[in-house]
Amino acid sequence: MEIIDAIILGIVQGLTEFLPVSSSGHLELGKAILGDNSIPQESLLFTVVLHFATALSTIVVFRQDVWEIIKGLLQFKWNEETRFSLKIIISMIPAAIVGLVFEEQLEGFFGGNVAFVGYMLIITGLLLYLADRARETQKKVTYLNAFIIGVSQAIAILPGISRSGATISTSVLLGVDKTKAARFSFLMVVPLIIGKMSKDIIGGEIQFQTEQTIAMGAGFIAAFLAGLAACTWMIQLVKKSKLIYFAIYCFIVGCIAIGFGLWT
């Protein structure tokens, strides 16, 4: 992969991670347009690296929330921060199981199957449409909600299914307040991505060649910086704007992707 291509894909990841339009799906579309011929395993590795970059940008943007959670946990009491952390852990279980059990099968979906991404984007659009029609509530995330939202996050491992779109839509359909749903959605993925990276590093599965390291490093920096910029202003758009606009976008891009995939 060329360095300029890695930077472009990093920017795409950073900008689309915080909108419910599937960053992984856009990465696959971007790789197809740029003519990336990486084998599925390398393609998935690059996707994980970029997601790690945006996870770091999430930590920076939500640093006050993260710090409050850490301080609450250090009190070793059954307080609000402890309960919130437990809900985050519960939400991680489905995706962790899917990632460990079906890791090899999942790699096959990250090999430039543009038509598949298109179909998944349409599913994302349907989820956003249903969530847009749900009535407003002020409910918090419960433990059962956390697990169900975690199931939607596990399904969103597939490229084209927006993680934030699936988790926020699921939360809203469960009756959770949109602001609380967005906060939970963005924070719940951070430990999952960091855990995935740690597992791969310790297990020796992440091994870069020199040229590969430079390209992935450039993509990482681009995704991190773009994520910082996007999260600071786009997160408000996700929480306050009508999801129907994102649904329409997913429908349009999904149809284009299906057409592109079937004709190439």
Side-chain angles (χ1 to χ4, degrees):
M1 178 180 292
E2 297 294 332
I3 294 178
I4 186 62
D5 292 347
I7 292 175
I8 292 173
L9 293 175
I11 294 174
V12 170
Q13 162 66 20
L15 293 177
T16 58
E17 173 65 22
F18 302 102
L19 287 177
V21 295
S22 179
S23 58
S24 61
H26 279 72
L27 281 179
E28 291 304 301
L29 295 178
K31 283 182 260 188
I33 294 172
L34 293 172
D36 177 32
N37 296 317
S38 300
I39 61 174
Q41 184 176 9
E42 293 174 342
S43 183
L44 178 59
L45 173 60
F46 184 65
T47 300
V48 170
V49 168
L50 296 190
H51 274 83
F52 181 58
T54 48
L56 286 181
S57 68
T58 304
I59 292 174
V60 172
V61 173
F62 283 97
R63 58 188 178 278
Q64 184 173 352
D65 295 77
V66 173
W67 177 239
E68 290 298 325
I69 292 172
I70 293 174
K71 286 197 302 183
L73 289 175
L74 291 177
Q75 293 176 8
F76 299 104
K77 296 180 180 179
W78 187 246
N79 51 29
E80 183 62 31
E81 291 77 18
T82 303
R83 289 190 287 270
F84 184 82
S85 299
L86 179 57
K87 292 171 186 177
I88 292 290
I89 293 173
I90 292 173
S91 73
M92 292 168 53
I93 294 174
I97 293 174
V98 171
L100 290 172
V101 177
F102 301 103
E103 184 173 10
E104 293 184 5
Q105 291 85 343
L106 288 171
E107 288 177 359
F109 291 109
F110 292 83
N113 191 337
V114 177
F116 178 81
V117 172
Y119 290 123
M120 295 301 102
L121 279 170
I122 289 178
I123 292 176
T124 295
L126 290 173
L127 284 172
L128 295 172
Y129 172 76
L130 292 174
D132 185 70
R133 296 177 63 85
R135 64 186 182 86
E136 292 281 350
T137 68
Q138 298 297 320
K139 295 181 181 179
K140 295 182 179 181
V141 178
T142 65
Y143 296 108
L144 179 59
N145 289 161
F147 182 79
I148 297 174
I149 296 168
V151 172
S152 68
Q153 178 170 249
I155 296 173
I157 293 176
L158 296 172
I161 299 291
S162 167
R163 193 205 63 80
S164 62
T167 53
I168 291 174
S169 294
T170 300
S171 301
V172 172
L173 291 172
L174 289 172
V176 178
D177 171 71
K178 282 187 178 180
T179 300
K180 295 181 177 66
R183 177 175 177 265
F184 189 78
S185 171
F186 289 126
L187 288 175
M188 68 187 284
V189 73
V190 173
L192 194 65
I193 293 177
I194 294 176
K196 167 65 177 174
M197 288 290 294
S198 300
K199 171 184 172 294
D200 290 344
I201 292 174
I202 295 174
E205 297 175 28
I206 295 183
Q207 296 179 355
F208 300 102
Q209 297 178 352
T210 304
E211 295 180 358
Q212 187 184 37
T213 303
I214 295 174
M216 288 198 175
F220 177 91
I221 294 173
F224 176 74
L225 295 177
L228 282 178
C231 193
T232 53
W233 61 275
M234 287 187 181
I235 194 169
Q236 296 301 320
L237 193 63
V238 173
K239 291 189 290 186
K240 297 179 180 180
S241 294
K242 288 187 174 295
L243 296 175
I244 188 63
Y245 299 121
F246 299 110
I248 294 173
Y249 175 84
C250 288
F251 287 142
I252 294 174
V253 176
C255 290
I256 293 174
I258 293 171
F260 182 83
L262 294 178
W263 284 97
T264 56

PDB file of all heavy atoms in Angstrom, residues 204-221:
ATOM      1  N   GLY A 204       1.843 -12.111  18.813  1.00  0.00           N
ATOM      2  CA  GLY A 204       2.762 -12.056  17.686  1.00  0.00           C
ATOM      3  C   GLY A 204       2.079 -12.062  16.334  1.00  0.00           C
ATOM      4  O   GLY A 204       2.713 -12.290  15.295  1.00  0.00           O
ATOM      5  N   GLU A 205       0.771 -11.794  16.318  1.00  0.00           N
ATOM      6  CA  GLU A 205       0.034 -11.817  15.059  1.00  0.00           C
ATOM      7  C   GLU A 205       0.251 -10.547  14.244  1.00  0.00           C
ATOM      8  O   GLU A 205       0.050 -10.541  13.035  1.00  0.00           O
ATOM      9  CB  GLU A 205      -1.461 -12.015  15.342  1.00  0.00           C
ATOM     10  CG  GLU A 205      -1.767 -13.346  16.016  1.00  0.00           C
ATOM     11  CD  GLU A 205      -3.238 -13.464  16.385  1.00  0.00           C
ATOM     12  OE1 GLU A 205      -4.058 -12.831  15.700  1.00  0.00           O
ATOM     13  OE2 GLU A 205      -3.559 -14.194  17.332  1.00  0.00           O
ATOM     14  N   ILE A 206       0.626  -9.456  14.912  1.00  0.00           N
ATOM     15  CA  ILE A 206       0.913  -8.209  14.207  1.00  0.00           C
ATOM     16  C   ILE A 206       2.406  -8.128  13.957  1.00  0.00           C
ATOM     17  O   ILE A 206       3.194  -7.901  14.862  1.00  0.00           O
ATOM     18  CB  ILE A 206       0.445  -6.988  15.014  1.00  0.00           C
ATOM     19  CG1 ILE A 206      -1.063  -7.006  15.146  1.00  0.00           C
ATOM     20  CG2 ILE A 206       0.909  -5.700  14.358  1.00  0.00           C
ATOM     21  CD1 ILE A 206      -1.637  -5.805  15.856  1.00  0.00           C
ATOM     22  N   GLN A 207       2.773  -8.353  12.727  1.00  0.00           N
ATOM     23  CA  GLN A 207       4.171  -8.305  12.320  1.00  0.00           C
ATOM     24  C   GLN A 207       4.268  -7.462  11.060  1.00  0.00           C
ATOM     25  O   GLN A 207       3.721  -7.809  10.015  1.00  0.00           O
ATOM     26  CB  GLN A 207       4.699  -9.715  12.064  1.00  0.00           C
ATOM     27  CG  GLN A 207       4.708 -10.598  13.309  1.00  0.00           C
ATOM     28  CD  GLN A 207       5.222 -11.992  13.032  1.00  0.00           C
ATOM     29  OE1 GLN A 207       5.503 -12.354  11.893  1.00  0.00           O
ATOM     30  NE2 GLN A 207       5.353 -12.782  14.082  1.00  0.00           N
ATOM     31  N   PHE A 208       4.953  -6.344  11.177  1.00  0.00           N
ATOM     32  CA  PHE A 208       5.077  -5.431  10.057  1.00  0.00           C
ATOM     33  C   PHE A 208       6.420  -5.606   9.357  1.00  0.00           C
ATOM     34  O   PHE A 208       7.433  -5.863   9.986  1.00  0.00           O
ATOM     35  CB  PHE A 208       4.984  -3.975  10.529  1.00  0.00           C
ATOM     36  CG  PHE A 208       3.686  -3.640  11.202  1.00  0.00           C
ATOM     37  CD1 PHE A 208       3.613  -3.564  12.586  1.00  0.00           C
ATOM     38  CD2 PHE A 208       2.557  -3.394  10.460  1.00  0.00           C
ATOM     39  CE1 PHE A 208       2.421  -3.246  13.208  1.00  0.00           C
ATOM     40  CE2 PHE A 208       1.358  -3.079  11.088  1.00  0.00           C
ATOM     41  CZ  PHE A 208       1.296  -3.000  12.457  1.00  0.00           C
ATOM     42  N   GLN A 209       6.375  -5.439   8.055  1.00  0.00           N
ATOM     43  CA  GLN A 209       7.606  -5.256   7.309  1.00  0.00           C
ATOM     44  C   GLN A 209       7.870  -3.751   7.311  1.00  0.00           C
ATOM     45  O   GLN A 209       6.967  -2.949   7.573  1.00  0.00           O
ATOM     46  CB  GLN A 209       7.457  -5.782   5.877  1.00  0.00           C
ATOM     47  CG  GLN A 209       7.189  -7.290   5.830  1.00  0.00           C
ATOM     48  CD  GLN A 209       7.002  -7.790   4.417  1.00  0.00           C
ATOM     49  OE1 GLN A 209       6.920  -7.003   3.478  1.00  0.00           O
ATOM     50  NE2 GLN A 209       6.924  -9.092   4.273  1.00  0.00           N
ATOM     51  N   THR A 210       9.097  -3.351   7.004  1.00  0.00           N
ATOM     52  CA  THR A 210       9.460  -1.937   7.081  1.00  0.00           C
ATOM     53  C   THR A 210       8.551  -1.051   6.243  1.00  0.00           C
ATOM     54  O   THR A 210       8.032  -0.043   6.723  1.00  0.00           O
ATOM     55  CB  THR A 210      10.921  -1.730   6.633  1.00  0.00           C
ATOM     56  OG1 THR A 210      11.773  -2.550   7.434  1.00  0.00           O
ATOM     57  CG2 THR A 210      11.305  -0.262   6.799  1.00  0.00           C
ATOM     58  N   GLU A 211       8.310  -1.417   4.999  1.00  0.00           N
ATOM     59  CA  GLU A 211       7.478  -0.612   4.122  1.00  0.00           C
ATOM     60  C   GLU A 211       6.042  -0.577   4.638  1.00  0.00           C
ATOM     61  O   GLU A 211       5.370   0.451   4.584  1.00  0.00           O
ATOM     62  CB  GLU A 211       7.513  -1.169   2.696  1.00  0.00           C
ATOM     63  CG  GLU A 211       8.895  -1.087   2.049  1.00  0.00           C
ATOM     64  CD  GLU A 211       8.887  -1.657   0.644  1.00  0.00           C
ATOM     65  OE1 GLU A 211       7.826  -2.132   0.213  1.00  0.00           O
ATOM     66  OE2 GLU A 211       9.938  -1.614  -0.009  1.00  0.00           O
ATOM     67  N   GLN A 212       5.572  -1.699   5.140  1.00  0.00           N
ATOM     68  CA  GLN A 212       4.225  -1.778   5.661  1.00  0.00           C
ATOM     69  C   GLN A 212       4.057  -0.904   6.897  1.00  0.00           C
ATOM     70  O   GLN A 212       3.035  -0.248   7.078  1.00  0.00           O
ATOM     71  CB  GLN A 212       3.897  -3.242   5.991  1.00  0.00           C
ATOM     72  CG  GLN A 212       2.454  -3.495   6.394  1.00  0.00           C
ATOM     73  CD  GLN A 212       2.227  -4.932   6.794  1.00  0.00           C
ATOM     74  OE1 GLN A 212       3.092  -5.551   7.421  1.00  0.00           O
ATOM     75  NE2 GLN A 212       1.077  -5.474   6.441  1.00  0.00           N
ATOM     76  N   THR A 213       5.081  -0.862   7.732  1.00  0.00           N
ATOM     77  CA  THR A 213       5.035  -0.069   8.952  1.00  0.00           C
ATOM     78  C   THR A 213       4.905   1.418   8.647  1.00  0.00           C
ATOM     79  O   THR A 213       4.139   2.131   9.296  1.00  0.00           O
ATOM     80  CB  THR A 213       6.306  -0.305   9.792  1.00  0.00           C
ATOM     81  OG1 THR A 213       6.425  -1.694  10.084  1.00  0.00           O
ATOM     82  CG2 THR A 213       6.249   0.485  11.087  1.00  0.00           C
ATOM     83  N   ILE A 214       5.645   1.902   7.644  1.00  0.00           N
ATOM     84  CA  ILE A 214       5.598   3.317   7.282  1.00  0.00           C
ATOM     85  C   ILE A 214       4.199   3.699   6.801  1.00  0.00           C
ATOM     86  O   ILE A 214       3.638   4.711   7.210  1.00  0.00           O
ATOM     87  CB  ILE A 214       6.644   3.628   6.198  1.00  0.00           C
ATOM     88  CG1 ILE A 214       8.053   3.425   6.761  1.00  0.00           C
ATOM     89  CG2 ILE A 214       6.467   5.055   5.681  1.00  0.00           C
ATOM     90  CD1 ILE A 214       9.149   3.559   5.733  1.00  0.00           C
ATOM     91  N   ALA A 215       3.636   2.862   5.920  1.00  0.00           N
ATOM     92  CA  ALA A 215       2.308   3.146   5.382  1.00  0.00           C
ATOM     93  C   ALA A 215       1.250   3.103   6.472  1.00  0.00           C
ATOM     94  O   ALA A 215       0.396   3.987   6.565  1.00  0.00           O
ATOM     95  CB  ALA A 215       1.963   2.147   4.273  1.00  0.00           C
ATOM     96  N   MET A 216       1.312   2.080   7.324  1.00  0.00           N
ATOM     97  CA  MET A 216       0.316   1.972   8.392  1.00  0.00           C
ATOM     98  C   MET A 216       0.491   3.076   9.426  1.00  0.00           C
ATOM     99  O   MET A 216      -0.493   3.557   9.995  1.00  0.00           O
ATOM    100  CB  MET A 216       0.399   0.598   9.051  1.00  0.00           C
ATOM    101  CG  MET A 216      -0.121  -0.523   8.182  1.00  0.00           C
ATOM    102  SD  MET A 216      -0.491  -2.017   9.112  1.00  0.00           S
ATOM    103  CE  MET A 216      -1.198  -3.038   7.808  1.00  0.00           C
ATOM    104  N   GLY A 217       1.742   3.479   9.669  1.00  0.00           N
ATOM    105  CA  GLY A 217       1.985   4.582  10.586  1.00  0.00           C
ATOM    106  C   GLY A 217       1.392   5.882  10.069  1.00  0.00           C
ATOM    107  O   GLY A 217       0.794   6.651  10.828  1.00  0.00           O
ATOM    108  N   ALA A 218       1.526   6.109   8.757  1.00  0.00           N
ATOM    109  CA  ALA A 218       0.957   7.309   8.146  1.00  0.00           C
ATOM    110  C   ALA A 218      -0.565   7.275   8.231  1.00  0.00           C
ATOM    111  O   ALA A 218      -1.208   8.285   8.535  1.00  0.00           O
ATOM    112  CB  ALA A 218       1.405   7.408   6.685  1.00  0.00           C
ATOM    113  N   GLY A 219      -1.141   6.099   7.981  1.00  0.00           N
ATOM    114  CA  GLY A 219      -2.586   5.960   8.073  1.00  0.00           C
ATOM    115  C   GLY A 219      -3.073   6.164   9.497  1.00  0.00           C
ATOM    116  O   GLY A 219      -4.119   6.775   9.732  1.00  0.00           O
ATOM    117  N   PHE A 220      -2.298   5.653  10.459  1.00  0.00           N
ATOM    118  CA  PHE A 220      -2.645   5.787  11.876  1.00  0.00           C
ATOM    119  C   PHE A 220      -2.697   7.258  12.275  1.00  0.00           C
ATOM    120  O   PHE A 220      -3.661   7.706  12.915  1.00  0.00           O
ATOM    121  CB  PHE A 220      -1.615   5.047  12.726  1.00  0.00           C
ATOM    122  CG  PHE A 220      -1.834   5.168  14.213  1.00  0.00           C
ATOM    123  CD1 PHE A 220      -2.602   4.235  14.886  1.00  0.00           C
ATOM    124  CD2 PHE A 220      -1.264   6.206  14.932  1.00  0.00           C
ATOM    125  CE1 PHE A 220      -2.811   4.339  16.254  1.00  0.00           C
ATOM    126  CE2 PHE A 220      -1.469   6.322  16.293  1.00  0.00           C
ATOM    127  CZ  PHE A 220      -2.242   5.383  16.957  1.00  0.00           C
ATOM    128  N   ILE A 221      -1.667   8.017  11.917  1.00  0.00           N
ATOM    129  CA  ILE A 221      -1.606   9.445  12.270  1.00  0.00           C
ATOM    130  C   ILE A 221      -2.754  10.204  11.619  1.00  0.00           C
ATOM    131  O   ILE A 221      -3.406  11.044  12.246  1.00  0.00           O
ATOM    132  CB  ILE A 221      -0.249  10.038  11.859  1.00  0.00           C
ATOM    133  CG1 ILE A 221       0.873   9.402  12.681  1.00  0.00           C
ATOM    134  CG2 ILE A 221      -0.251  11.561  12.039  1.00  0.00           C
ATOM    135  CD1 ILE A 221       2.265   9.790  12.232  1.00  0.00           C
TER     136      ILE A 221
END
